[in-house]
Amino acid sequence: MSDPIVGIDLGTTNSEVAAFADGKVQVLDIGKSKLLPSVVGLSPSGELLVGEAARNQLVLYPERTIRSIKRKMGSSETVSLGDRHFSPQEISALILRELATWAGRSLQQPVEKAVITVPAYFSDAQRQATREAAQLAGLDAVRILNEPTAASLAYGEGSRHNAMVYDLGGGTFDVSIVALEGDVTEVLSSHGNNQLGGDDFNDLLAEHLLSTFQRNHGIDLRREHPVARARIWWAAEQAKRRLSFEPETTVREEALVTVDGKPLHLELEITRERYESMIRPLLEQTLESVSKALAAAGKSPSDLNAILLVGGSTRTPL
C-alpha cells in the first residue's frame, strides 16, 4: 500500500485510528488496546505522556494532566501541565501524533495523511483548530469529516433509507438526519451541543459524591484538595459505567483526606434510578435537538428507517 490515508476519530474521552488494509477497514492497535485515552500528562521527571500512561497519573498529579481537550478546541484558552503551557491544538497534536505512530507501526510504513472526524456542530474555528493540530502532528488532514456522516457511511453502506444518527460522546452531542442510498450519504439536517456529553454525566455524579462527603465530614473537597477531587471524579465515571449494567453500585474511596491524623472515607450506594434522575435534564436537551433536526429535515419519526446510536454515552440505558 503506497501513501496510506488513515481515518482518525479524535474523541473527547478516547481516540482511535483505522485504515483500509488487506481488503477491509481495520481499527489499528498496538498491543491489546484499540482505544487511546485522549489524555496528555507531564510526569514529575518532565516526560510528556500520552494515552494510558497519562490517564494513570491523573489521580496522583491532576495539575500535570489534561483530559477532554476537545472541548477547548477553537478557543484561545491555554492549558497548563505543571509549569508548561500549551494551546488546545498542541495537546491534540500530541494525541494525533501518537495515533499516527500506532498506525505506522501496524502498517509498517510512515503515515502522513489522515481523514479526521469532528462533531457536525463544530464551528469553523474548531475545524480550523483541528487542521492546525494535524499539521503540528506532521499530518496532512486531507479531509475533515462530520462524525455523524462517518457513522452513516460505516453502518449504512448498501442500504437505502432515512436514518437518524444520535451521537453522544464524552464531550459533545450531535444528531443528524441522513438519507442513505448505496454508498452515497446526504445529510439533510444537523443539530447538537458541543458542550454536552458523558463528562457532564460524570460531573453531576461527582458533585453528588462531593456534597455527600461534605455533609458527612464538614469538609469541602472542591477547595484545595485537587487529588481527592480527581479521585472522586474517576470514581464517579466508574460508577456511571457500572450503572449501565447493574441496578445499583457502591462507591468506596478510602482516606480521601486526613484531618488531625484521622483518615476520612467516602462510602455511598447509588441506584440507577437516582443517577438517571440526575442526568434526565441533559438527555431532555438532546431530545430538543432531535426535534429541531427532524423539523429542519422535514421529517417525522415515522419517516425514519433506522436510528444509529454512536458514542460511549449511548450505552446509558435511559
Side-chain angles (χ1 to χ4, degrees):
M1 181 169 56
S2 61
D3 232 10
I5 301 178
V6 298
I8 291 177
D9 175 8
L10 183 60
T12 307
T13 307
N14 294 292
S15 297
E16 292 178 296
V17 59
F20 189 81
D22 299 326
K24 60 181 180 180
V25 175
Q26 301 179 31
V27 179
L28 307 176
D29 64 338
I30 292 295
K32 60 183 179 180
S33 179
K34 294 184 178 181
L35 285 175
L36 177 73
S38 301
V39 185
V40 173
L42 187 68
S43 74
S45 63
E47 178 188 1
L48 277 170
L49 307 173
V50 181
E52 197 75 36
R55 187 171 66 179
N56 289 343
Q57 80 154 22
L58 179 57
V59 170
L60 291 175
Y61 305 107
E63 74 285 353
R64 305 178 73 89
T65 315
I66 296 295
R67 60 173 177 82
S68 302
I69 194 63
K70 185 172 179 176
R71 284 192 157 184
K72 300 183 187 298
M73 291 291 279
S75 74
S76 57
E77 186 176 346
T78 60
V79 295
S80 300
L81 293 176
D83 57 357
R84 297 175 62 179
H85 303 281
F86 298 84
S87 68
Q89 294 95 312
E90 289 172 323
I91 296 295
S92 291
L94 294 169
I95 298 168
L96 288 171
R97 189 177 301 149
E98 184 71 10
L99 290 168
T101 300
W102 277 24
R105 290 175 186 165
S106 183
L107 299 172
Q108 297 185 335
Q109 60 179 313
V111 169
E112 297 176 348
K113 295 182 179 181
V115 173
I116 303 174
T117 60
V118 297
Y121 238 53
F122 250 24
S123 66
D124 289 342
Q126 289 168 309
R127 291 168 190 270
Q128 181 57 33
T130 304
R131 289 188 181 278
E132 290 171 7
Q135 188 175 19
L136 289 171
L139 287 170
D140 174 15
V142 295
R143 182 171 297 181
I144 300 294
L145 185 66
N146 286 346
E147 289 165 3
T149 305
S152 64
L153 286 169
Y155 295 109
E157 187 175 354
S159 55
R160 180 178 181 178
H161 54 242
N162 296 317
M164 174 192 295
V165 183
Y166 180 101
D167 186 351
L168 185 61
T172 61
F173 168 70
D174 273 313
V175 57
S176 291
I177 310 301
V178 299
L180 304 168
E181 185 167 353
D183 59 356
V184 176
T185 298
E186 180 186 0
V187 179
L188 304 179
S189 67
S190 290
H191 207 275
N193 185 339
N194 290 334
Q195 300 295 320
L196 194 161
D199 280 0
D200 301 288
F201 298 173
N202 295 356
D203 289 344
L204 290 172
L205 195 46
E207 181 60 31
H208 178 59
L209 297 175
L210 288 165
S211 296
T212 300
F213 187 88
Q214 184 175 10
R215 188 165 57 250
N216 291 345
H217 300 292
I219 295 176
D220 186 357
L221 295 178
R222 303 171 191 83
R223 300 180 181 179
E224 300 178 2
H225 296 285
V227 172
R229 199 165 59 244
R231 285 177 60 186
I232 288 286
W233 197 90
W234 281 109
E237 182 180 65
Q238 294 305 311
K240 175 189 75 173
R241 293 185 177 191
R242 291 195 297 271
L243 288 171
S244 290
F245 304 98
E246 303 167 10
E248 59 188 36
T249 189
T250 300
V251 174
R252 292 186 182 89
E253 289 293 320
E254 297 186 355
L256 281 167
V257 292
T258 300
V259 177
D260 297 330
K262 179 184 178 182
L264 302 180
H265 318 298
L266 172 68
E267 181 167 341
L268 180 66
E269 183 179 277
I270 301 169
T271 64
R272 181 187 292 176
E273 183 180 17
R274 178 73 182 92
Y275 167 65
E276 288 181 344
S277 70
M278 295 180 201
I279 66 171
R280 187 176 293 275
L282 295 182
L283 289 181
E284 288 175 351
Q285 288 182 39
T286 72
L287 295 183
E288 291 175 13
S289 291
V290 167
S291 297
K292 290 176 181 177
L294 283 168
K299 302 291 183 184
S300 68
S302 61
D303 294 323
L304 301 176
N305 307 104
I307 296 176
L308 305 180
L309 296 179
V310 182
S313 297
T314 61
R315 294 191 177 99
T316 300
L318 181 60

